[in-house]
Amino acid sequence: MPWYKYQPPIPCYCNPCDPNNYILYGSIPPPCSPPKDFVCAIQALDNMGKPIITSSLCSEIANALQNKIDTTNVRLKSTNACLC
């Protein structure tokens, strides 16, 4: 499955479960520096260059953020372009 970098097109629109907030990155995750406070990237099935974010993946994103740990399909990073 491809990786998608979290990059909201509208500044401060911070919904990590919105596929429009991601850009296709490639087959390996992008570098994501600690500490693990914000979404950096997700791994998901592709839908014409956008990730398919299922309810299960959305829950995985929420759990990663709550516990401040990377998961199988979610990578976190130290800073976000916009603190929401």
Side-chain angles (χ1 to χ4, degrees), residues 14-74:
C14 301
N15 179 355
C17 291
D18 183 343
N20 292 315
N21 287 335
Y22 294 88
I23 57 170
L24 183 61
Y25 186 78
S27 60
I28 59 171
C32 301
S33 60
K36 299 177 181 303
D37 295 321
F38 302 99
V39 175
C40 176
I42 61 169
Q43 182 176 326
L45 294 174
D46 184 75
N47 179 28
M48 299 176 13
K50 294 291 181 186
I52 298 173
I53 301 178
T54 62
S55 59
S56 175
L57 179 54
C58 191
S59 292
E60 186 176 343
I61 293 168
N63 287 335
L65 287 168
Q66 181 177 356
N67 296 313
K68 298 189 183 300
I69 58 166
D70 290 338
T71 65
T72 302
N73 299 304
V74 180

